[in-house]
């Protein structure tokens, strides 16, 4: 409303203003200042608190999880976030949510940001700000060892049951090809895998690195990665409020430093079995057409 009134007043008095020699840049400067203040407010809030409050699941091996017999949260994403906070000279605390509750926790203001292998998508970018990517990958799927769950191509997903979170990109892909998604709360990987093995679900679409390592950790469950299906190249980033431009700038600068000095590579190799997920993969990966993500 205020901007609309200002616009009308400028039109009405443009000749007078010009005659008086008023500099139009003063008004523009005022509006830019308001925009800058909005961009800086989240960063100022974080600085005043001296702490970043970050949402993660705590159940996603090897990015955000508790090692067996340990009560210390760790994982690739967790350690990336710890290093970012350290370099920004901020304390760090994690709040744990189910996958479907992470983004809403940003919207409600309960947390400052999310790190949980969260993929950058066009639809999410309409509501949230994303950092520079700290991980590159692609999607694949876990199926039964006995018969690959009857799946040879993505088109064979029609009528099958997919296990995953309702709001994930992976559920969108599954449903795009005609599958039904069985949703879960904040449960560990073995629950998902056993449901595929016993036929409650048929497949799980997820990140290649996460799935390959989950299978290594649970070799007794008779499931496997599909040998032929690689699709949907992905970039994972830290998610922040849409208006948090200054906070995003600080985080981006830090992540770029960590790329340049090899920290991201070292952390990736530590948690992804020697593989460097901080760089784009060179595999032949199918792009999915007709799906607006």
């Amino acid at each position: 409303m205020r901007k609309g009134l200002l616009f009308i007043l400028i039109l009405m008095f443009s000749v007078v203003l010009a005659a008086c020699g008023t500099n139009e840049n003063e008004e523009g400067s005022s509006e830019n200042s308001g925009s800058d203040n909005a961009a800086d407010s989240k960063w100022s809030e974080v600085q005043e608190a001296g702490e970043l409050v970050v949402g993660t699941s705590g159940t996603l091996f090897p990015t955000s999880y508790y090692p067996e017999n340990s009560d210390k949260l760790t994982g690739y994403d967790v350690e990336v976030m710890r290093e970012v906070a350290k370099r920004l000279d901020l304390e760090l605390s994690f709040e744990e949510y189910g996958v479907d509750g992470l983004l809403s926790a940003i919207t409600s203001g309960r947390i400052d940001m999310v790190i949980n292998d969260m993929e950058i998508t066009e639809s999410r970018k309409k509501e949230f700000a994303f950092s520079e990517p700290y991980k590159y990958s692609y999607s694949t799927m876990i199926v039964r060892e006995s018969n690959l769950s009857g799946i040879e191509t993505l088109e064979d997903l029609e009528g099958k049951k997919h296990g995953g979170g309702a709001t994930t990109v992976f559920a969108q892909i599954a449903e795009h090809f005609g599958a039904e998604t069985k949703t879960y709360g904040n449960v560990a990987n073995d629950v998902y895998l056993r449901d595929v093995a016993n036929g409650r679900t048929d497949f799980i679409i997820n990140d290649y690195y996460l799935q390959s390592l989950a299978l290594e950790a649970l070799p007794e469950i008779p499931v496997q990665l599909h040998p032929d299906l690689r699709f949907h190249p992905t970039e994972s980033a830290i998610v922040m409020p849409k208006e948090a431009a200054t906070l995003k700038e600080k985080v981006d600068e830090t992540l770029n430093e960590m790329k340049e000095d090899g920290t991201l590579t070292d952390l990736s190799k530590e948690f992804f079995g020697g593989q460097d997920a901080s760089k784009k993969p060179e595999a032949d990966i199918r792009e999915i057409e007709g799906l607006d993500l």
Side-chain angles (χ1 to χ4, degrees):
M1 178 69 74
R2 179 178 176 272
K3 288 186 177 180
L5 289 172
L6 283 173
F7 179 69
I8 292 169
L9 288 170
I10 289 168
L11 287 177
M12 290 174 62
F13 295 106
S14 58
V15 176
V16 176
L17 291 173
C20 294
T22 301
N23 188 346
E24 291 181 2
N25 288 335
E26 289 178 7
E27 180 64 38
S29 175
S30 175
E31 291 184 4
N32 289 338
S33 177
S35 176
D36 290 344
N37 287 340
D40 289 339
S41 63
K42 188 62 181 178
W43 174 240
S44 298
E45 177 188 322
V46 168
Q47 281 188 305
E48 184 176 347
E51 179 185 46
L52 281 171
V53 181
V54 180
T56 193
S57 68
T59 60
L60 190 61
F61 179 85
T63 65
S64 173
Y65 71 102
Y66 290 91
E68 190 173 0
N69 299 322
S70 173
D71 59 0
K72 182 181 179 182
L73 185 67
T74 191
Y76 178 59
D77 288 29
V78 169
E79 301 308 328
V80 166
M81 195 70 249
R82 285 197 171 112
E83 184 65 20
V84 168
K86 177 182 175 182
R87 295 189 186 202
L88 290 175
D89 197 25
L90 294 168
E91 296 295 320
L92 176 66
S93 64
F94 287 101
E95 297 286 340
E96 293 173 25
Y97 294 87
V99 173
D100 292 338
L102 285 167
L103 294 181
S104 61
I106 293 179
T107 304
S108 67
R110 296 194 300 275
I111 57 177
D112 299 315
M113 56 182 64
V114 162
I115 190 164
N116 200 68
D117 199 49
M118 193 68 69
E119 181 185 342
I120 303 171
T121 69
E122 290 304 315
S123 59
R124 286 173 178 167
K125 282 165 67 177
K126 294 174 184 176
E127 299 183 54
F128 302 96
F130 284 85
S131 71
E132 290 293 309
Y134 62 85
K135 175 173 170 285
Y136 299 88
S137 188
Y138 57 89
S139 299
T140 183
M141 68 177 69
I142 287 174
V143 291
R144 285 186 284 280
E145 278 185 353
S146 58
N147 63 348
L148 304 183
S149 298
I151 298 168
E152 294 184 9
T153 69
L154 290 175
E155 286 68 25
D156 294 329
L157 300 184
E158 186 169 1
K160 302 285 188 182
K161 288 186 178 180
H162 167 248
T167 61
T168 64
V169 168
F170 309 117
Q172 287 181 263
I173 293 171
E175 290 159 10
H176 176 73
F177 287 99
E180 172 191 349
T181 295
K182 171 181 168 56
T183 60
Y184 296 79
N186 204 23
V187 299
N189 286 333
D190 66 302
V191 177
Y192 286 91
L193 301 188
R194 293 184 196 282
D195 275 4
V196 173
N198 62 34
R200 289 194 181 94
T201 57
D202 298 301
F203 67 101
I204 305 163
I205 295 177
N206 211 305
D207 173 78
Y208 161 72
Y209 292 110
L210 302 191
Q211 291 197 324
S212 59
L213 288 170
L215 293 179
E216 280 186 31
L218 298 162
E220 73 279 6
I221 303 176
V223 293
Q224 68 172 70
L225 283 181
H226 199 290
D228 303 319
L229 299 182
R230 299 174 185 84
F231 50 94
H232 187 56
T234 59
E235 297 180 350
S236 298
I238 300 168
V239 194
M240 291 164 273
K242 183 72 171 177
E243 70 279 3
T246 303
L247 178 60
K248 169 180 160 54
E249 180 183 337
K250 299 292 183 183
V251 171
D252 284 347
E253 288 173 356
T254 306
L255 287 174
N256 285 328
E257 288 174 4
M258 292 165 64
K259 286 179 184 179
E260 291 172 5
D261 65 22
T263 301
L264 286 184
T265 294
D266 291 343
L267 287 173
S268 175
K269 288 182 176 181
E270 177 183 350
F271 288 100
F272 293 120
Q275 301 182 89
D276 189 359
S278 71
K279 295 182 173 63
K280 292 184 179 181
E282 298 179 356
D284 185 17
I285 303 165
R286 175 181 171 179
E287 294 273 7
I288 297 176
E289 297 179 358
L291 181 58
D292 182 12
L293 296 174

